[in-house]
Amino acid sequence: MKVAPGRPRHRTAPALTAASAALLLAAPAGAVAVPAAHAAAGHPPGAYEAPPAAAGSVARDGGGLQAAADALSKGPVYVDPRAADQLPAGQADALAKDIEGAGKPVFVAVLPATSEYPPATLFEDLRTRVGIKGVYAVQLGDRFDARADGDVLSRESVRHLVGAAQRAHPGDATAQLKDFTAQATKQVGKGRPESWQGPGGAGISSGALVGLGALVVLGAGGAYTVHRRAKRRREAEEQAALDSLRVVVDEDITAYGEELDRLDFRPGEPGADDAMRADYAHALDAYENAKQAMVRARRPEDVRAVTEVLEDGRFALATLAARREDRPLPERRPPCFFDPRHGPSVADVRWAPVGGTERTVPVCAADQARLADGQEPMARTVRTPYGEDRPYWDAGPVYAPWAGGYYGALGGGLLPGLFLGTLLGSSMTGPAAYGWGDGVGHGDQFGGSDYSGGDFDSGDFGGGFGDGGGFGGGFGD
């Protein structure tokens, strides 16, 4: 059995005392022990190769649950050779590098639909054998599903992500797996499993000790390099998220400016009073403040301030329009759920996303009429990382700050129910819930060791394959 090839990984050694370093550096170079199989090959084992002990079983069994678990304990991606056409080696390697680069405990297995992988107990058995906390995404034949330890990613979040991936790529299990993995790595906290850093051993040879001694000299510089790389990677992720948000917010600001023009209010026009002029000044200030806030934005969460200002400005415009037309002043309500550019909502209606749970959402008059006629609302679509245009609530956690600015200011209790059962809603369960963060966990969410063996909540992994994904059912519904 082959798995996706990977780059060699090196274990970071703890710092040694000067006396220990001297003893280590004095060890004879000839004492280095090299496994014969790898010496013959002339290179260290790859990060995603099966460990030497499993190599024999690979040749005999050609796959199987234990072989999959052995491989996943060494790297994030395993492809059974009988399913190699589902995820070719190059794609598997790229996926593994993305997961390891993110430093997240996400495990991916691509398996054939055979009796060696019983669907009813697959997740529980695989998690037991791997023994490491994390998110487990599995493609079994032409079906996809996932499970996770509850303290890594909640059961509801997993269900939402699986459902969104299935709806985005109906009938394409490989695309569902890739979509889910990309979104899961954004939502899971840092916590790269220790065992991924390279194959372990029962003891330390004198040659290995020489290497550890050398690391004493290089440790400070190496630690700084790792820190710098992690910082640059985090900055690159934030910049990419901000770039995506900038496109959407610039469209919002442009639409707001066009609305100001259409209103065509002149402070000196007949019938204008001080209240109208105050509304108009408020709306103009919002326009300028939103533009300036977007220019100053340096991180994704900075976008929240921009959409807060736009929401406030649109209410001022609606108030001004009511005064000019001698209508009752509008109630301060959230923006239309389907597109904040529609302005303040006028009513609450019951609505459910495709395959999702029904909930109450605020709507503008136009969308209220469309829903009453059985038509689809005019939903705001945005570009996903995969180049698709989808409604913003199913486009990923990157849009959490954007939505938080529009809806969070009017009561924190609004958001969880509003986005229940959507991909965006699954990111609104922590500090980033109302736009204060970017929806991406940068902290280490692991408490203690990442290895739990068989001591884990089996309920997180229970149920048959396909019973945990989607909204209201699994595969074959």
Side-chain angles (χ1 to χ4, degrees), residues 202-219:
I204 302 178
S205 69
S206 58
L209 292 177
V210 171
L212 289 176
L215 285 177
V216 174
V217 180
L218 301 176

Side-chain angles (χ1 to χ4, degrees), residues 272-330:
D273 58 21
D274 289 343
M276 294 181 189
R277 283 187 281 271
D279 288 335
Y280 185 63
H282 192 155
L284 283 177
D285 288 344
Y287 183 53
E288 294 302 323
N289 291 339
K291 289 191 294 183
Q292 293 172 16
M294 197 62 225
V295 170
R296 293 193 301 268
R298 293 295 179 268
R299 301 183 64 189
E301 52 263 43
D302 295 340
V303 167
R304 184 180 193 271
V306 184
T307 51
E308 277 183 348
V309 170
L310 289 174
E311 184 279 326
D312 187 54
R314 282 202 170 88
F315 181 74
L317 287 176
T319 302
L320 173 56
R323 293 186 196 278
R324 293 178 80 190
E325 298 168 14
D326 198 24
R327 292 185 284 106
L329 298 183

Side-chain angles (χ1 to χ4, degrees), residues 166-477:
Q166 291 172 349
R167 294 193 301 277
H169 310 281
D172 189 342
T174 302
Q176 293 169 14
L177 179 142
K178 293 178 179 178
D179 190 332
F180 173 90
T181 302
Q183 297 302 329
T185 53
K186 294 178 182 178
Q187 298 193 34
V188 175
K190 297 289 185 182
R192 170 193 172 103
E194 280 293 318
S195 62
W196 286 2
Q197 296 182 5
I204 302 178
S205 69
S206 58
L209 292 177
V210 171
L212 289 176
L215 285 177
V216 174
V217 180
L218 301 176
Y224 176 73
T225 300
V226 170
H227 171 74
R228 289 283 295 174
R229 287 177 179 172
K231 182 179 179 181
R232 285 198 297 268
R233 181 173 62 248
R234 184 169 61 252
E235 289 173 347
E237 291 173 351
E238 289 184 343
Q239 186 59 51
L242 181 59
D243 289 343
S244 296
L245 288 168
R246 193 179 300 278
V247 173
V248 177
V249 176
D250 284 348
E251 291 175 352
D252 287 1
I253 294 174
T254 298
Y256 182 86
E258 292 172 348
E259 192 171 347
L260 269 172
D261 288 340
R262 284 195 300 273
L263 191 62
D264 192 27
F265 175 79
R266 296 181 301 279
E269 70 182 28
D273 58 21
D274 289 343
M276 294 181 189
R277 283 187 281 271
D279 288 335
Y280 185 63
H282 192 155
L284 283 177
D285 288 344
Y287 183 53
E288 294 302 323
N289 291 339
K291 289 191 294 183
Q292 293 172 16
M294 197 62 225
V295 170
R296 293 193 301 268
R298 293 295 179 268
R299 301 183 64 189
E301 52 263 43
D302 295 340
V303 167
R304 184 180 193 271
V306 184
T307 51
E308 277 183 348
V309 170
L310 289 174
E311 184 279 326
D312 187 54
R314 282 202 170 88
F315 181 74
L317 287 176
T319 302
L320 173 56
R323 293 186 196 278
R324 293 178 80 190
E325 298 168 14
D326 198 24
R327 292 185 284 106
L329 298 183
E331 177 188 356
R332 189 62 188 268
R333 293 179 49 85
C336 177
F337 170 81
F338 298 109
D339 189 341
R341 295 176 301 181
H342 295 170
S345 57
V346 299
D348 296 321
V349 301
R350 299 292 290 173
W351 172 84
V354 177
T357 305
E358 190 176 68
R359 83 288 317 274
T360 299
V361 297
V363 298
C364 64
D367 280 327
Q368 181 184 27
R370 291 179 64 85
L371 289 170
D373 290 341
Q375 302 179 52
E376 288 297 315
M378 298 294 290
R380 176 70 181 277
T381 59
V382 295
R383 185 62 52 91
T384 72
Y386 306 98
E388 302 172 303
D389 289 331
R390 297 192 60 77
Y392 73 88
W393 55 82
D394 263 340
V398 69
Y399 294 101
W402 177 85
Y406 278 124
Y407 302 102
L410 299 180
L414 174 69
L415 284 176
L418 196 61
F419 294 101
L420 175 68
T422 69
L423 187 56
L424 184 59
S426 65
S427 70
M428 293 184 166
T429 56
Y434 308 116
W436 284 291
D438 60 359
V440 182
H442 293 307
D444 187 346
Q445 293 182 353
F446 284 111
S449 171
D450 57 11
Y451 186 80
S452 67
D455 184 16
F456 65 95
D457 184 356
S458 60
D460 291 333
F461 293 84
F465 192 92
D467 294 340
F471 296 86
F475 296 102
D477 287 356

Side-chain angles (χ1 to χ4, degrees), residues 49-71:
E49 295 175 1
S57 65
V58 169
R60 290 193 302 271
D61 299 335
L65 194 61
Q66 187 58 53
D70 289 342

